C-alpha cells in the first residue's frame, strides 16, 4: 500500500472558487500502477535481452524444445519403446534410458526442459537451448546407430 503525504500548500481553485485537484486519488493510483507495470515489463525485457533471449525468441525456443521432445518420442517408438498416453514425461524417462543407455544425462536434460515449458516456463538463455540441441544430437546419433546396427552401444 502506498501512502502519499503532502505539506500544506495553497489550494487550487477553479473558476467558481471551488477547490480543484489535479488528479483524484484513484486516478493517481491507476497511473502509478500502470507506470510500475511498464517499468517491470521493461526490466524483464532488458533482463531477457541481457541473458540472450527476448520474449519472442524464448517462445520460439520453447517450440524448438517441444519439437525435439516429439522427435525423441518418435525415435524411441521406432526402437520399440513407445510412450503410453498415461505416462508423464518423468514416468517415461526410465524407458527412454533403456532405449538410449549411453545418453542418460542428455535424456534427463531434454525431459526436464520439456517438462518446464509444458507447464509454462520459457527457456532463459541461448546457452540452455544450445545444450538441449547438443543433447538431442547425442541421442539421435545413438538412436541411428541402434537402428542401423540392430543393437545398442551397451557396455
Amino acid at each position: 500500500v502506498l501512502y502519499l503525504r503532502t505539506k500544506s500548500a495553497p489550494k487550487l481553485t477553479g473558476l467558481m472558487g471551488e477547490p480543484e485537484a489535479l488528479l483524484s486519488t484513484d486516478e493517481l493510483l491507476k497511473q502509478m500502477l500502470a507506470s510500475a507495470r511498464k517499468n517491470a515489463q521493461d526490466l524483464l525485457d532488458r533482463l531477457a535481452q541481457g541473458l540472450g533471449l527476448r520474449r519472442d525468441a524464448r517462445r520460439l525456443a520453447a517450440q524448438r524444445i517441444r519439437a525435439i521432445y516429439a522427435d525423441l518420442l518418435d525415435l524411441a517408438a521406432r526402437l520399440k519403446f513407445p510412450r503410453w498416453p498415461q505416462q508423464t514425461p518423468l514416468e517415461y524417462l526410465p524407458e527412454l534410458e533403456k532405449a538410449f543407455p549411453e545418453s542418460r544425462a542428455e535424456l534427463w536434460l531434454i525431459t526436464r526442459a520439456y517438462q518446464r515449458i509444458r507447464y509454462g516456463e520459457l527457456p532463459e538463455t541461448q546457452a540452455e537451448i544450445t545444450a538441449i540441441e547438443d543433447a538431442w544430437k547425442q541421442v539421435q546419433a545413438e538412436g541411428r546407430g541402434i537402428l542401423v546396427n540392430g543393437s545398442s552401444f551397451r557396455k
Side-chain angles (χ1 to χ4, degrees), residues 15-72:
L15 297 175
M16 303 289 240
E18 297 174 4
E20 182 180 325
L22 296 176
L23 289 175
S24 71
T25 303
D26 286 343
E27 290 170 337
L28 177 62
L29 288 175
K30 285 178 185 175
Q31 284 189 4
M32 291 174 66
L33 181 60
S35 177
R37 283 183 180 150
K38 182 183 181 320
N39 289 340
Q41 186 60 51
D42 289 347
L43 178 63
L44 288 173
D45 288 345
R46 283 195 310 263
L47 179 62
Q49 185 178 9
L51 292 173
L53 293 175
R54 293 180 193 249
R55 179 183 302 263
D56 292 339
R58 292 172 64 205
R59 287 185 181 135
L60 288 174
Q63 289 175 342
R64 176 70 181 126
I65 291 169
R66 283 187 195 96
I68 287 172
Y69 193 76
D71 291 343
L72 172 62

Side-chain angles (χ1 to χ4, degrees), residues 100-138:
F100 308 99
E102 299 297 319
S103 301
R104 290 174 191 247
E106 291 82 3
L107 293 168
W108 177 255
L109 180 68
I110 294 167
T111 300
R112 292 293 298 151
Y114 172 74
Q115 189 175 28
R116 283 194 318 270
I117 64 151
R118 182 178 182 195
Y119 293 105
E121 292 182 39
L122 294 174
E124 295 293 337
T125 65
Q126 186 58 46
E128 181 181 356
I129 303 307
T130 301
I132 293 162
E133 288 175 336
D134 290 345
W136 172 231
K137 288 176 189 171
Q138 163 65 31

Side-chain angles (χ1 to χ4, degrees), residues 144-155:
R144 285 185 189 130
I146 294 169
L147 287 172
V148 169
N149 299 325
S151 63
S152 69
F153 300 119
R154 291 187 180 116
K155 293 178 181 177

